[in-house]
Amino acid sequence: MTGTVLVTGATGTLGREVVRLLAARGVAVRGLSRRARETGDGVEWVVGDLVGGAGIAAAVAGVETVLDCATTQGRKDVAGVGRLVTEARRAGVRHLVYVSIVGIDRVPLGYYRAKLDCERLVRESGLGWTVLRATQFHDLLLKAFDLSARLPVFPVASGAEVQPVDVREVAERLVDLVGREPAGFAPEVGGPRVRSYRELAQAYLRAAGRRRPVLPLRVPGAAGRALRAGGLTTPERAVGRGSFEEALERRFG
């Protein structure tokens, strides 16, 4: 692997792991942050805002590969990816790697439609591109369960199936892709097995030592049907090794 790699979303759950792995491999890594950070530990930090565009032209200057881990969790992602594509093309970036989500073409939710639009921008960018779709991170489920545990009852999406994956394993796959030629859609990354949302919620409550009545909620419409049909899972790509129980052990001891 040669050349500088720019990581957007470098301070997020996934971005932090990607930056750490790249630096550990001796790669020249540049991390994009919305706030100033001190350069060190093999990482050059630059300030920029993907949505507003400030600092992005400077961030991509002299970069060979861009690894886009950034997200606003909403429609602003589309503006951010559009800005990144424009500046990366002007700068002569060779390879754009975009992180996406398994099942966004099967589950009709607003955020997933935004991610599909982002994928389209990447595909039509004129750059060499790779898109890696992954299932939900353990960390995302833990955050959702933390919020639910504050309520007197613990709501769960009735019948919904998920396939959570360790974010560190997704980071490893991304770093491997950075060192290769643009691949289009890379093989998806899913957790070790498909689980029901309710089963994982109950595992969380046991590990956290909390007692809450579990309240099944049926998600209506096409989105609910897709969730119950395993639309967010990729059982044929159950390549992850770390289990949700291991994530709970790290969290609660």
Side-chain angles (χ1 to χ4, degrees):
M1 189 187 303
T2 59
T4 299
V5 177
L6 172 68
V7 181
T8 71
T11 60
T13 301
L14 177 60
R16 287 195 304 269
E17 289 295 327
V18 169
V19 166
R20 182 184 63 81
L21 287 174
L22 287 170
R25 295 187 185 190
V27 176
V29 56
R30 182 179 296 171
L32 182 68
S33 172
R34 284 179 293 180
R35 289 180 290 275
R37 294 174 180 269
E38 185 176 350
T39 293
D41 296 326
V43 182
E44 175 195 1
W45 289 100
V46 295
V47 177
D49 178 9
L50 282 174
V51 177
I56 303 306
V60 298
V63 166
E64 180 173 319
T65 301
V66 173
L67 205 167
D68 188 10
C69 299
T71 182
T72 65
Q73 302 293 325
R75 288 296 306 177
K76 290 182 179 179
D77 278 9
V78 182
V81 170
R83 180 79 63 178
L84 182 62
V85 163
T86 297
E87 297 298 349
R89 193 164 50 229
R90 289 174 179 167
V93 168
R94 184 185 69 85
H95 189 186
L96 172 59
V97 182
Y98 182 69
V99 183
S100 193
I101 305 169
V102 165
I104 57 173
D105 49 351
R106 298 190 293 264
V107 181
L109 295 174
Y111 177 50
Y112 293 167
R113 292 190 185 100
K115 295 294 283 187
L116 282 172
D117 286 343
C118 290
E119 288 186 356
R120 176 182 54 79
L121 290 173
V122 171
R123 296 197 315 269
E124 298 174 357
S125 65
L127 301 166
W129 62 274
T130 301
V131 170
L132 177 68
R133 289 181 175 180
T135 54
Q136 281 68 32
F137 301 152
H138 294 147
D139 307 68
L140 178 65
L141 285 176
L142 287 171
K143 289 178 182 177
F145 292 156
D146 286 343
L147 291 174
S148 296
R150 297 177 184 178
L151 303 174
V153 296
F154 199 96
V156 298
S158 179
E161 292 190 328
V162 290
Q163 190 180 347
V165 67
D166 190 324
V167 67
R168 296 172 299 182
E169 295 177 337
V170 178
E172 289 171 2
R173 190 61 53 94
L174 283 169
V175 170
D176 288 342
L177 289 171
V178 165
R180 300 178 185 176
E181 291 300 309
F185 279 100
E188 295 178 337
V189 177
R193 63 190 180 98
V194 176
R195 313 280 295 274
S196 76
Y197 191 87
R198 178 172 185 146
E199 175 190 2
L200 296 176
Q202 290 170 329
Y204 168 90
L205 288 171
R206 287 193 299 271
R210 298 183 178 181
R211 293 187 178 183
R212 295 286 190 281
V214 173
L215 177 64
L217 296 177
R218 188 174 180 84
V219 180
R225 290 193 295 273
L227 290 172
R228 292 187 288 275
L232 293 181
T233 68
T234 180
E236 68 280 5
R237 290 292 303 164
V239 295
R241 302 175 301 278
S243 70
F244 187 64
E245 282 73 15
E246 290 170 338
L248 290 172
E249 176 66 24
R250 288 192 298 272
R251 171 70 180 280
F252 296 111

